[in-house]
């Protein structure tokens, strides 16, 4: 039997405008709970949080998972500059404005973490706390390329700059994309979801736009220090992101900082370790020390 004193839960799909586009988000959990905005990465969408959100709801938190620019079918602008980091941050701010929220707790995985770092660094008044997953602070990431093996790990970012070829490869029906994703740690179920949400829904080009906009993002936006309370969750078996950037991240956070390392976990932390991730998010959102 449900607790009559518990806050009412809800799930709704919402749409909001920005720059002539319509973006989509999934708003769920107790409506009166502390709001937590969830930002997915590449090549995934809001479903990547499916194992995490029920755990956050059980802890009284409200979640808003954004189907981000380039992924959402009604928000796929053409042109590399449309995917600059400042535009991606602007989408998050537009979501908060649409919901009437002055601020929210912000959580991002992979590319979503890069957006979350930039939002927290440039708009701290809109971010109550930050939980970044897998991807370190952008300045730490760039520094790690010079002092660690991160440049070798990030070879695919250069490949994604090529026109047409990455789309052809990732959209192909053959085994090559599945083999690459499995090598990154994706399960068959996750790969099937990739096929449905990214390939069938024609979201590959939009997702690649984020990589192709890297040369056009403002250095100030990328490098801004973060002063809000921050947790960084990193896994030691991530083939794309080494320890170098993880170790350097603390240098770019002025607020209360906690580093959570998960052992034996690949890049896909929300699916592999939802319990530990939800605990880290909840502890940060509730201001629990340690």
């Amino acid at each position: 039997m449900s607790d009559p004193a518990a806050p009412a839960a809800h799930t709704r799909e919402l749409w909001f405008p920005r720059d002539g586009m319509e973006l989509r988000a999934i708003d769920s959990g107790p409506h009166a709970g502390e709001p937590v905005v969830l930002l997915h990465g590449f090549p995934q969408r809001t479903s990547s949080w499916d194992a995490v959100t029920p755990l956050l709801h059980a802890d009284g938190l409200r979640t808003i998972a954004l189907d981000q620019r380039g992924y959402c079918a009604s928000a796929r602008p053409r042109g590399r500059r449309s995917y600059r980091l400042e535009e991606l941050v602007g989408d998050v701010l537009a979501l908060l404005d649409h919901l009437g929220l002055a601020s929210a707790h912000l959580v991002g995985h992979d590319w979503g973490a890069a957006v979350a770092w930039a939002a927290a660094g440039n708009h701290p008044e809109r971010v109550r706390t930050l939980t970044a997953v897998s991807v370190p602070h952008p300045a730490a990431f760039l520094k790690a390329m010079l002092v660690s093996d991160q440049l070798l790990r990030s070879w695919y970012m250069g490949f994604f700059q090529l026109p047409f070829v990455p789309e052809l490869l990732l959209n192909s029906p053959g085994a090559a994309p599945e083999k690459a994703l499995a090598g990154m740690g994706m399960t068959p179920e996750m790969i099937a979801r990739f096929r449905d949400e990214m390939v069938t829904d024609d979201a590959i080009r939009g997702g690649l736009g984020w990589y192709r906009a890297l040369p056009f993002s403002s250095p100030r936006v990328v490098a801004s220090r973060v002063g809000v309370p921050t947790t960084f969750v990193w896994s030691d078996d991530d083939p794309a992101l080494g320890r170098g950037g993880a170790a350097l991240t603390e240098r770019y956070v002025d607020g209360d900082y906690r580093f959570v390392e998960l052992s034996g976990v690949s890049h896909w932390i929300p699916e592999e370790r939802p319990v530990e991730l939800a605990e880290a998010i909840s502890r940060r959102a509730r201001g629990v020390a340690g």
Side-chain angles (χ1 to χ4, degrees):
M1 180 179 295
S2 61
D3 181 358
H10 71 289
T11 297
R12 67 180 177 121
E13 183 179 58
L14 62 89
W15 298 85
F16 64 98
R18 181 158 191 263
D19 292 344
M21 304 179 297
E22 291 286 330
L23 282 91
R24 168 183 173 271
I26 304 297
D27 183 0
S28 56
H31 186 73
E34 287 275 307
V36 178
V37 173
L38 303 170
L39 305 176
H40 65 79
F42 179 85
Q44 297 182 298
R45 295 177 70 171
T46 59
S47 62
S48 64
W49 299 107
D50 283 355
V52 176
T53 51
L55 303 172
L56 298 178
H57 300 161
D59 207 19
L61 297 171
R62 172 188 179 186
T63 62
I64 305 106
L66 176 60
D67 193 16
Q68 299 196 80
R69 174 186 298 233
Y71 297 83
C72 181
S74 56
R76 293 175 183 164
R78 301 189 68 84
R80 297 164 68 184
R81 293 179 182 274
S82 296
Y83 297 94
R84 291 174 298 163
L85 196 55
E86 44 266 50
E87 294 294 345
L88 307 174
V89 170
D91 293 340
V92 176
L93 302 183
L95 171 62
L96 297 181
D97 291 343
H98 178 77
L99 292 169
L101 295 172
S103 62
H105 304 282
L106 196 53
V107 180
H109 174 246
D110 186 78
W111 255 112
V115 177
W117 283 114
N122 292 276
H123 302 277
E125 74 284 357
R126 308 300 303 269
V127 180
R128 302 182 192 182
T129 69
L130 167 65
T131 303
V133 187
S134 297
V135 170
H137 186 284
F141 178 80
L142 293 173
K143 178 70 172 177
M145 284 190 165
L146 301 176
V147 300
S148 72
D149 66 349
Q150 187 56 58
L151 183 61
L152 292 174
R153 290 173 179 263
S154 300
W155 65 268
Y156 61 92
M157 297 177 73
F159 172 68
F160 286 165
Q161 300 301 315
L162 296 175
F164 308 121
V165 177
E167 285 94 330
L168 290 173
L169 176 63
L170 291 169
N171 283 313
S172 70
E178 284 84 351
K179 184 176 181 180
L181 292 172
M184 284 286 293
M186 273 197 176
T187 65
E189 292 76 15
M190 293 168 66
I191 294 172
R193 190 185 307 161
F194 159 79
R195 280 288 176 194
D196 180 50
E197 296 182 346
M198 295 296 297
V199 177
T200 302
D201 201 40
D202 199 27
I204 294 293
R205 183 182 296 275
L208 290 173
W210 293 42
Y211 293 93
R212 291 166 175 164
L214 282 170
F216 304 105
S217 291
S218 165
R220 177 188 58 80
V221 172
V222 171
S224 293
R225 301 182 64 84
V226 172
V228 305
T230 298
T231 295
F232 178 38
V233 183
W234 175 80
S235 49
D236 64 4
D237 204 20
D238 188 330
L241 294 152
R243 186 175 295 277
L248 289 166
T249 288
E250 186 174 9
R251 299 184 185 182
Y252 301 93
V253 181
D254 298 325
D256 179 66
Y257 180 73
R258 184 184 181 215
F259 176 58
V260 177
E261 179 176 338
L262 301 178
S263 179
V265 182
S266 79
H267 181 69
W268 316 105
I269 293 174
E271 290 91 351
E272 286 191 49
R273 293 289 181 85
V275 174
E276 290 93 331
L277 178 55
E279 179 183 4
I281 296 169
S282 183
R283 289 175 70 86
R284 175 52 69 191
R286 297 191 177 284
V288 177

